[in-house]
Amino acid sequence: MNIAVLSSHPIQYQAPLFRALAARPGVRLTALFCHDHGVRPSHDPGFGQAIQFDTPLLEGYDHRFLPNLAPRPSIGPTGMFNPAIVSSLLDGEFDALIVHGYTSPTTILGLGGPRRRTRVLFRGESNLVIERSMARRATKRLFLRALFSRVDHFLSIGTLNTEYLEHYGVDVSRITMAPYSVDNKYFVQESAAARANPAPTRRRLGIPADGVVFVSSGKLIPRKRPLDLLHAFAQSVVRTTSTIVYIGDGELRDEIERTAHALGVGKRVVVLGFRNQSELPAIYGAGDVLVLASESETWGLVVNEGMAAGLAPVVSDRVGAGPDLVPHDWIYPAGDVAALGLLLEKLAGDSKALSVAKRQASCNIGNWGIDETADGVLKGVEAAVAPVR
């Protein structure tokens, strides 16, 4: 099968999947990118700085960058206009095209534009957790039902995503699970030394050697609610024996640091700033609990990363990964600082509970990896290209 994937730009989470698909017998994979963000230093508005990932994003699979004719090219919704995708569809260059998302002119062209023989599959992250106005829901229902009618098959990333697709009129027979995953093997292997002996990594990063380490990984922006973790920590009984480590940068960094000192926990809060992919496994491995407090998170792949590196997960009920990966006991209502504080106290004060949570995390993530995703993608492609009976 000759398969293409239309993606906004090279993404560290997608590259392992592309390599896995390209390595499958009988599969020729080509990634079509709308923008080169990530392979050269470019500004990321969430992190508030220029970034360039240090893991290979373009190795192990065929790829090309489509000419971007947007007036101001970016990875934002209006920054990607790549009409060459229509030529590929009209030429019948590929057996199947997998389109990620529907928020840019290019993805709309890929999903709804004219085509000759290529079957089109859709893969997105959306769920129904986020509350929207009645008017917006009605408009979206009309738009998505029309757009989805042009799609041959759908690849779901998880339970909440499947519910979203069904809500907008997609029959379950047209949906194949292709779980949202990271390169578990990489995080397991690269975190092994720190998990076995966290002291050297903690010392190098300025993390106190004693107590349980809570890790928050992601952009320090309001939607992620990183201050919830800080306030829950400061109010809990474990604030003098445990530590928070923030991996990431963003507009709330200064406020986090000021608030930590104002609450008297400055010595127990470490803000590492942006850290590249190669550094993450060791940092995770030196920690104990991954906390994602977001008020809106379509999935949250840092949960996958942390679990693969041995962390127990605690997430809000607005995190899309929760129903599939996180035991119910470790999910709390978004914004409920008191409930989060109780979970921190439970994990930091009960070594048995922490050990059980870590073992359960390793078990859950072990069945949710790149191989399972590649299997799902190929199963979905086969369903899409199968002759209609």
Side-chain angles (χ1 to χ4, degrees):
M1 291 185 290
N2 189 1
I3 304 170
V5 182
L6 179 63
S7 184
S8 59
H9 60 290
I11 298 173
Q12 71 272 25
Y13 297 120
Q14 293 180 354
L17 174 60
F18 295 168
R19 286 192 283 269
L21 289 169
R24 293 295 179 94
V27 173
R28 179 183 176 187
L29 181 90
T30 305
L32 305 175
F33 295 118
C34 301
H35 195 281
D36 63 357
H37 177 77
V39 296
R40 60 177 177 80
S42 53
H43 183 76
D44 188 298
F47 285 119
Q49 60 183 278
I51 66 168
Q52 181 177 12
F53 293 110
D54 63 355
T55 52
L57 299 181
L58 298 174
E59 296 179 7
Y61 61 92
D62 292 335
H63 63 274
R64 65 177 186 252
F65 292 91
L66 300 175
N68 190 351
L69 304 185
R72 295 183 177 179
S74 72
I75 57 172
T78 62
M80 292 174 285
F81 178 52
N82 313 79
I85 189 61
V86 176
S87 299
S88 293
L89 291 171
L90 288 175
D91 291 344
E93 182 180 1
F94 304 105
D95 298 314
L97 172 70
I98 301 168
V99 180
H100 283 265
Y102 56 80
T103 59
S104 74
T106 304
T107 52
I108 297 299
L109 287 173
L111 291 169
R115 53 185 183 263
R116 187 163 66 89
R117 71 177 191 90
T118 303
R119 297 292 184 264
V120 171
L121 294 87
F122 173 76
R123 191 174 192 229
E125 303 178 17
S126 299
N127 57 49
L128 299 171
V129 172
I130 302 173
E131 297 179 2
R132 303 189 186 280
S133 68
M134 185 177 297
R136 185 167 183 180
R137 290 201 306 269
T139 301
K140 195 169 184 179
R141 180 179 291 272
L142 289 173
F143 168 72
L144 287 183
R145 283 181 176 270
L147 185 64
F148 287 171
S149 69
R150 294 280 297 159
V151 176
D152 297 292
H153 203 77
F154 296 81
L155 300 172
S156 171
I157 65 169
T159 298
L160 296 183
N161 187 225
T162 297
E163 293 176 358
Y164 175 89
L165 294 173
E166 293 186 63
H167 177 78
Y168 286 106
V170 180
D171 189 86
V172 67
S173 65
R174 299 171 62 210
I175 304 172
T176 298
M177 179 69 76
Y180 221 13
S181 61
V182 300
D183 188 351
N184 290 344
K185 295 177 183 178
Y186 171 77
F187 284 95
V188 169
Q189 294 170 358
E190 296 301 313
S191 66
R195 281 186 284 118
N197 183 15
T201 300
R202 290 190 181 187
R203 185 166 53 248
R204 174 172 57 84
L205 296 173
I207 301 170
D210 59 322
V212 170
V213 172
F214 300 100
V215 179
S216 171
S217 182
K219 297 172 181 177
L220 303 180
I221 56 178
R223 178 175 63 82
K224 302 280 188 177
R225 301 188 70 93
L227 285 161
D228 283 5
L229 171 58
L230 178 57
H231 285 290
F233 179 80
Q235 295 170 17
S236 73
V237 298
V238 300
R239 63 187 179 277
T240 59
T241 57
S242 299
T243 303
I244 297 176
V245 174
Y246 286 100
I247 309 170
D249 219 324
E251 61 184 274
L252 294 180
R253 177 171 181 167
D254 290 344
E255 184 176 352
I256 289 170
E257 293 175 332
R258 288 195 306 270
T259 304
H261 287 287
L263 294 173
V265 294
K267 293 182 179 180
R268 287 286 176 173
V269 176
V270 179
V271 183
L272 297 178
F274 172 78
R275 296 294 171 126
N276 227 312
Q277 285 297 105
S278 64
E279 301 177 85
L280 293 180
I283 301 174
Y284 290 143
D288 297 287
V289 181
L290 187 286
V291 180
L292 187 56
S294 301
E295 66 185 30
S296 170
E297 196 77 51
T298 52
W299 183 263
L301 284 170
V302 296
V303 178
N304 301 59
E305 292 178 343
M307 292 171 67
L311 299 181
V314 170
V315 304
S316 82
D317 59 1
R318 298 296 183 90
V319 173
D324 293 295
L325 295 181
V326 182
H328 180 73
D329 289 348
W330 307 117
I331 300 176
Y332 72 97
D336 190 336
V337 172
L340 176 56
L342 291 176
L343 292 182
L344 302 187
E345 291 180 2
K346 175 66 174 177
L347 290 168
D350 187 337
S351 59
K352 182 178 180 180
L354 179 58
S355 295
V356 169
K358 286 184 174 183
R359 286 198 301 271
Q360 183 64 58
S362 295
C363 180
N364 289 357
I365 202 65
N367 299 314
W368 199 275
I370 292 294
D371 288 340
E372 287 78 11
T373 306
D375 289 342
V377 168
L378 294 180
K379 183 179 178 181
V381 170
E382 289 172 354
V385 301
V388 178
R389 296 182 180 180

